[in-house]
Amino acid sequence: MQLFRFLLSLTLFGLFASLHAQNPGADHGNKFEQLGTLITPPNSYHAWDGAPGPDYWQQRADYEIDCTLNTEEQRLDGSEWITYYNHSPQPLRYLWLQLDENQHSPKNDNQYFDPSSIKPVMSEYELKALETWRGRDKYGVNIEAVADENGQALEYTINQTMMRVELPETLGPGEHFRFRVDWHYYIVDRVYLNHLLEATGNAATLPRGGYEYFPEDDNYLYTITQWYPRLCAYTDFGGWQNNQFTGRGEFALTFGDYTVRITLPEDHMVGSTGACLNYVDVLTPKQLERWEAAQTADAPVEIVTLKEAKAQEKAKPAKKTQTWIYHANQVRDFAWTASRKFIWDAMPHSNSDGKRVMCMSYYPKEAYPIYSRYSTKAVAHTLKTYSKYSLPYPYPTAISVEASNGMEYPMICFNPGRAEPDGTYTEIAKKSAISVIIHEVGHNYYPMIINSDERQWAWFDEGLNTFVQFLAEREFDADYQSWAGPPHQITAYMSMPKGELEPIMTNSENIKDYFSNAYLKPATALNILRETIMGRELFDYAFREYGRRWAFKHPTPADFFRTMEDASGVDLDWFWRGWFYSTDYVDISLDSIKWYKVDLENDPESREITQPVRASKPFRDLSQIRNEEAGIVPADEEDPELQDFYSNYRPWETADSVTQQKIVIYDEPFSKKEKQQQFSDKNYYELHFSNKGGLVMPVIIQWTYEDGSTEIDRIPAQIWRKNESAFTKVFVREKQVKAIEIDPYRETADAGLSNNSWPLRQVPSRFQVFKKHKIESGINPMQRANGKYTDD
């Protein structure tokens, strides 16, 4: 008997395989398969669960830098001592350093590799942009000396933005090497280059650092970034990250401690990464007194006031110089700013771990109306929110500098926020300042603490950061209209022709639409993952675990994917595969509805439903609703000075027609009384769905009943496992349904709203029901597939 069953099962399996082979992969591909070789395999450095493995290691580089700013020649001179620690198991014969200022040199490939064309009408900037390299011969880093501790010169080779330094002896595992680099470069006019590169359409390659000149008062504002020769990252997953810096793909860097001495005219105010060690030497007694008062203030205190800044920018330039000394521990980079024009305010923020952080802003008078009111408060709000979703902020300061651009470095960032000349400002200008401040301060977490390789994966810091920015904005103002996060805002991009798109996992240098790909789409994906796929509790726990595991380390995307699954117990490979490795989009279509009731008289009939319905209602997205349910109080309600933003409405879309069909099943009948008791109040709705966009997602169904009440069903994405193109599902309702809408909160980024709604206005079809289903009993599914039925 056992042998007979075994042979029968083999026969049936063979029949099934034969039938399946006739139409292989028609409806079932690999969307729910594990990622496998799409992600890097785990090893002893990066473990199976997404945590650092038992043999994890990372390098270290400490810096002692002396620099002098020449404000007449716009030149920066520097000398630095670097101590490099080889914690890897690999002996090193040379070191790679980044020379980012060579981005501006005419010898760099990025001056030539972008296409260009002539338009019927060309602006002056557009014409100059045809030759971005012309007139820039003096720019780039000039290396004056490279020597070891004993003063012996070291051989080096410069390859555009990279410099290889030959070691006198192989640097073995566990050893360190100390050497000196002397250099200088001329500072670029950042604002002019911004205009020039914007004319080329390559805004992603805009210069991060340089100076801005104010002709009306003959002053400069300096943003000194990527300014010193610094070690490239050397990691267990990529070796040396020495891909050229073209201005787009940002940085992969090594943690270390910094002591930096900045010498410049004594009338300049300085803000910097780290903590200042000599305020007593560089501040006036009154400024020092205000700084001390700011340590315990509950609102921003102006250490340099608007009146003082206005007077300073009109005064004669100072001839004397002074040196500011800053120190920072365990940072991956160092940046600073200086100007005679700066107003400076500060207030403390108390971390969840009890540590005090000084939140500060530096800004010219042109930004005073916005920055004096919002900037430092936005910095403190960012730390509060990001710490909740990641880890307590570990550094002593967090600074926002108004410099008409956005860029981030440890403890300091540069943001827009200018008012009109008459001191007024628009809602857009205010919102832009707040959003960019939150975004750039948030970068302290991604990638300054959780240290991803931006040169390889732009989304891995920009996307994660933009997502948490969205959370912070909604906790700043419940009606904040964020530019990234709400799913319905990404649909136009995701449904573009395939030739215009690339997966999120595309290398930073190869992305066509950088902003949509690296910022908007991953932020939206994570918002959907939190609100719709996993739920807030599971997501937040796993997201915090990722931050805890990889703080001050070098994670890869595989570590993030694995940690999110490991800490939540949710298999998300289908989600990473669809959102991060494909260019599919979401368009789930409700193709038809069939409405049935049990035939109480055994007299089935069918009808066709074709009446459409149209309506409009206020739209509030899911994150706003969930925030209210969680009792999250926006910052603007706690602080009356922070104004509300506007609300948003959208029309609910509708559909065109519904069809029905009849069904007859013969079997043992119920009595009429039994039917009345069990089935008279039951409505059976058979919904037919198809996947037109290719991206599998959960199906959210809102039912509106004849009495005006509503109900929502959430069907998990796994409904598509056996057929990724279409499925049918029956729902039993005691109330009659008036209308059905798919994705009512627009939470899945569904791009095809026209096929998301169906009306119900006709009477249902009837079908018979019996106590037993004799046709089904005794029939093997393989026999049914082969068209052979028996009653035996």
Side-chain angles (χ1 to χ4, degrees), residues 253-378:
L253 298 165
T254 299
F255 286 108
D257 295 345
Y258 288 70
T259 299
V260 179
R261 288 172 284 272
I262 303 165
T263 300
L264 73 174
E266 65 179 358
D267 54 1
H268 281 61
M269 189 60 55
V270 175
S272 175
T273 296
C276 185
L277 303 183
N278 67 331
Y279 276 151
V280 67
D281 299 323
V282 294
L283 299 183
T284 67
K286 190 65 177 175
Q287 291 167 347
L288 194 60
E289 180 183 330
R290 294 170 187 155
W291 169 250
E292 293 300 330
Q295 307 299 304
T296 55
D298 56 7
V301 174
E302 289 185 6
I303 292 114
V304 177
T305 67
L306 173 64
K307 181 179 179 181
E308 290 169 341
K310 285 182 175 180
Q312 187 66 73
E313 69 180 9
K314 293 177 181 177
K316 250 178 139 179
K319 297 296 183 183
K320 284 187 176 182
T321 63
Q322 63 184 10
T323 299
W324 299 62
I325 305 173
Y326 281 87
H327 181 79
N329 288 325
Q330 208 170 8
V331 293
R332 68 171 223 159
D333 202 359
F334 195 101
W336 54 280
T337 186
S339 181
R340 285 163 30 104
K341 294 174 64 67
F342 276 146
I343 298 123
W344 170 25
D345 69 39
M347 67 178 285
H349 164 73
S350 295
N351 254 347
S352 59
D353 60 359
K355 294 179 181 178
R356 183 181 64 193
V357 180
M358 290 307 295
C359 302
M360 301 187 276
S361 297
Y362 294 76
Y363 43 97
K365 67 179 187 298
E366 290 81 1
Y368 188 84
I370 295 176
Y371 260 58
S372 63
R373 186 173 188 181
Y374 294 106
S375 178
T376 299
K377 290 182 179 180

Side-chain angles (χ1 to χ4, degrees), residues 492-503 506 512-513 517 521 583-585:
Y493 168 71
M494 290 183 65
S495 57
M496 289 172 61
K498 294 285 188 180
E500 298 291 315
L501 302 171
E502 54 270 311
T506 301
K512 186 170 184 178
D513 187 339
N517 182 282
K521 186 178 176 182
T583 56
D584 291 343
Y585 66 101

